[in-house]
Amino acid sequence: SVSGGLGDTQFSFRLRQSGGQRATHYEDDGEYNREAPLTLQREAAHYFGYVYFRQVKDSSVKRGYFQKSLVLVSRLPYVNLFQSLLQLIAPEYFDKLEPCLEAVCNEIDQWPPPVPGQTLNLPVMGVVIQVRIPSRVDKPGSSPVKQFNQENLLPAPLVLPSIHELDLFRCFQPVLIHIQMLWELMLLGEPIVVMAPSPTVSSEMVLALTSCLAPLKYCCDYRPYFTIHDSEFKEYTTRTQAPPNIVVGVTNPFFIKTLQHWPHILRVGELRMAGDLPKQVKVKKLNKLRTLDTKPGIYTSYKTFLHKDKTLIKRLLKGIQRKRPSEVQSALLRRHLLELTQSFIIPLEHYIASLMPLQRAITPWKNPPQIRPFRQEDFMKTLEHAGPQLTCVLKGDWLGLYRRFFKSPNFDGWYRQRHKEMTQKLEALHLEAICDANIVAWMKDKSEVEIVDLVLKLREKLVRARCQHLPVKEETLQRVALYIETVIGSLPEDLQAVLRHH
């Protein structure tokens, strides 16, 4: 980066894994992802990069400047943990170079794996970082559990209140009055360009936007800091097709020209601390973006489906006047967004749960019944009695918002995830039904072919249950394995040998 800013800068980026094999390096991926909140899962196809960049005058270097970045690459979106780690390591590394990194890598190699729900003590460079890994069973919106296991640690640990949450209020300060619009654009997976004065502001704003749908997972692509050197540069700037569903953060003014055909452009200035009353950016027409000295603003012709929540904005602005701490303001904002997302998603959850077959329809010797298809019109009919108006005070065209949502990758991602979980639940219930059945009575009047077929099917189920980490008790799996043995034992010896060999 040949940016003008001197000193130290931190920012994040995200990049696509190149083609070839997508083999996971982690055996516990399935287990971790099953326990972790959807928004903190390990991604199979992307890496996150966390950067600490230093640029200072240095006459001993030929160019007159010392310019170096230390980059941490991970599949985990733990932005606070990894940026805090870099704050410890990078200054030492710039001073002492490779030997320092080698020592740090040795320490990090000893760290326990991240297990959702556990608090970890992570020693590095004479400091112990203490973090709690969030779990899927945490109540959304509750503050992190107070961490008690100090274990008489010396020195006292550096406790991070969250491994991933940003200071939402500071990020959204200049756009508070448009928070409703931004939430809708994110929910619908609309293409958004964030133009910022620095990689730090760019990456923080993009990460803040992608986090504002929690606990719903944002299923589109996003690039906290994107440059003309990124391999997707041509793909994103082409005018021959519509812009992709992505939020992209940029700092190079060149992008104003190349991305001016995108439908929503958010231009932000430097983020200030939460002391002074921020100037709220205006919504402007896209054709005003032509000039290079464009003022901060949201350039879009989008009309929101829901009305603004004026009470929230008043509370936050009053908070600024009263010098309310930024973390309190962030908590207010986060709770508002959480309640908004939940109001939107609960009717969908209720409807999809009604598509699950009844438990009594699951019989041991037949394949489990299918989940009924999701019919958008049927869902829309449920909204009259069980719609978001029950939990949310916001008025507006909720039906129109749902119709647009059905066309977005976020609906597709949500539906696939829920369908997968329900299918796994059905499989688990089916295994339980098999365990409760009387297999010996079933075998009495069956031919060898039918019995062999049963063995093969049960085996396949067992393998699938273990590979997919289905929500089944270990005891149930052991009973199924015992069943298979019982059935094989009832067959002639030559068949027994063949089945055991396989």
Side-chain angles (χ1 to χ4, degrees), residues 355-411:
L355 304 176
M356 184 84 166
L358 295 173
Q359 197 155 344
R360 63 167 180 266
I362 300 167
T363 55
W365 316 120
K366 282 196 187 122
N367 280 334
Q370 296 287 302
I371 297 161
R372 291 194 299 285
F374 190 107
R375 293 207 164 86
Q376 293 179 11
E377 286 314 309
D378 289 355
F379 165 72
M380 298 303 257
K381 284 177 197 150
T382 67
L383 293 175
E384 211 174 307
H385 333 286
Q389 72 280 2
L390 299 183
T391 50
C392 187
V393 293
L394 286 194
K395 299 277 182 280
D397 181 8
W398 286 97
L399 297 182
L401 188 59
Y402 280 113
R403 286 209 158 85
R404 269 288 279 277
F405 177 66
F406 288 141
K407 299 189 179 95
S408 80
N410 288 329
F411 169 69

Side-chain angles (χ1 to χ4, degrees), residues 20-35:
Q21 233 186 335
R22 286 232 172 116
T24 168
H25 303 291
Y26 302 95
E27 290 307 309
D28 64 340
D29 247 17
E31 209 163 321
Y32 169 81
N33 280 355
R34 205 175 63 252
E35 307 289 331

Side-chain angles (χ1 to χ4, degrees), residues 21 51 54 117 120 138 147 197 203 294 304 381 481:
Q21 233 186 335
V51 184
R54 175 170 288 181
L120 305 180
D138 297 347
Q147 294 157 346
S203 54
T294 320
T304 57
K381 284 177 197 150

